[in-house]
Amino acid sequence: FPALSGLRRSCLNGGGGDELGANDELISFKDEGEQEEKISENVSAERDLDDVKSSLVNESENNSSSSDSEQTERRPQPRADLESYEKAREYFTEALRRQQDGGFFKSPHYPGYPFLMIPDLGNPYLSNGALSPSARTYLQMKWPLLDVPGTAALKDSRSPTPGHLSNKVPVVQHAHMHPLTPLITYSSEHFSPGTPPAHLSPEILDPKTGIPRTPHPSELSPYYPLSPGAMGQIPHPLGWLVPQQGQPMYPITAGGFRHPYPALAMNASMSSLVSSRFSPHIVPHHPHGLHQTGIPHPAIVSPAIKQEPNGELSPAANTKSPVPTKKEEDKKPHIKKPLNAFMLYMKEMRAKVVAECTLKESAAINQILGRRWHSLSREEQAKYYELARKERQLHSQLYPGWSARDNYGRRKKRKRDNKTDSTPEGERAWNKKPCVQYLPQEKMIDSPASSHGSMLDSPATPSAALASPAAPAPTHSEQAQPLSLTTKPDRHHHFPLLSKPSSSSCTSSSSSSSSQPTSSSGSQSTPPLLSRPLPLASLHASLFSPPSPFHQAAFHSHHALFQSQPLSLVTKSAD
DNA sequence: AGGCCTTTGAAGCTG
DNA sequence: CAGCTTCAAAGGCCT
């Protein structure tokens, strides 16, 4: 998996390279027969990373990023994606800086990334590390005209990996857009839920000719089909989101796919982009879960995949599909729930974590993500809460009649129902893995990030009040942790950073963690640092370092947070 | 092939 | 209203 390897390489580079034994790691993982080349590029990327770091440190404006971006553009494309990944981070940082300086979008355009401004500025839609399909969905939704593959993609469209995608996204981000802008832009102010897109059109415009055509099945990736490289560069007109430019996003996405900018033509993938996660109004109109274009909507899961176990429909569902027959039920589109803040965060960060550690299991990754989530500063979390809030808003607008209940029972009966059992499911699960002694130990330890709400509490009040009025301000702080403890005994939210080990690294993490009696009451401001910071820990810190200085707390916590993962890396490498 | 696992949060359900 | 359940994403693992 070249791409994966690349990501790993990227991560390793991000960690600081030699000092972290990156090369060793790299070599140990490499098997594509292009090690030298990679190493060579490694150096280059390393330099880029240095730039990133320096940019983090140096608040002053510099053109290095620009030049770098240009450099990136000129470099051989095969690895451009990976490099761009770092670039994205760099620009991300840059953008953040600007934002913090109050001139978020004042900065001049970047030559290398004409439209790039905030690749992953806490924007769930912009997965800097990698853009998951779902993430792309968001992007698609937020930026209908966005051609995910972007410039680099055109040259390297073969790589479907998240890492590949990640750097494409930023390219289309408008320089003047706030990370939340997309959502904000789509607020009801500009969007008339009840306004049926009069321009609805079943056909898809050929990207090149602009001529309506029938989407080819191959283009109709069930989820977030990528533009097949040939998509070409789409001049992203500034202000395309601006209502006066013609059409607000939703109407555009409202299944019509007829874009105000025909010249920008959309192919199937583009349509998908436009369609976004939440296909507007198509529910009532397209009970089959397909757009008029026949494109399965990301937010609408084919009933063939998901269907009522017993074929029953909820009342709400019935409202959408009046008198649904068995067949219709099967075809009934599955409108997914809007993502919550954490889900948004996960989407954005998953790729990073995956690239960072050897673990690939989502369960393990999610554990890390969960811990990281807790380690986020209130500001960071607030952004996601805000996004989630907007997301729900959007969803409700798109699917006025939709209810979460509609999706109830769609899944097979879940196993983890009875946690009150003497042997909680969670424990049962853990028993699968040889992680003995872990839980007891870690339970005696407190984590800096968890802080019993110190960290979490903060996002609750201030963040919510700050960025997300509708955010679970009251609940987040006091419920997230405590509630989890009470209602989820088998979980360890109480010790986010030291919680359950991820499959392969539990033992090591356990020992290392235990030596780190972090004070629970430790405020988010100064979580205890690891007494014995591991090189790889710093690697993580480097890779996952928060985009802004004020995330120092989270930054530090990351050291501890990822201690387990690095170890797993080491172990694997040693083997 | 499809469910499980794992995370947090939102929403629905239940008593 | 409190507490519990379900689902959202993801992908390796397991049956």
Side-chain angles (χ1 to χ4, degrees), chain A residues 551-571:
Chain A
H551 290 110
Q552 199 171 12
F555 179 91
H556 289 164
S557 66
H558 287 164
H559 283 273
L561 173 58
F562 290 103
Q563 210 168 3
S564 61
Q565 295 305 340
L567 286 174
S568 78
L569 268 174
V570 172
T571 301

Side-chain angles (χ1 to χ4, degrees), chain A residues 59 96 99-100 121 375-380 383 524-525 546-555:
Chain A
E59 289 291 353
L96 179 62
Q99 183 186 35
Q100 292 174 336
L121 190 56
S375 70
L376 284 181
S377 69
R378 66 187 69 178
E379 290 87 358
E380 282 291 327
K383 286 192 287 188
Q524 93 181 63
S525 57
S548 73
F550 59 71
H551 290 110
Q552 199 171 12
F555 179 91

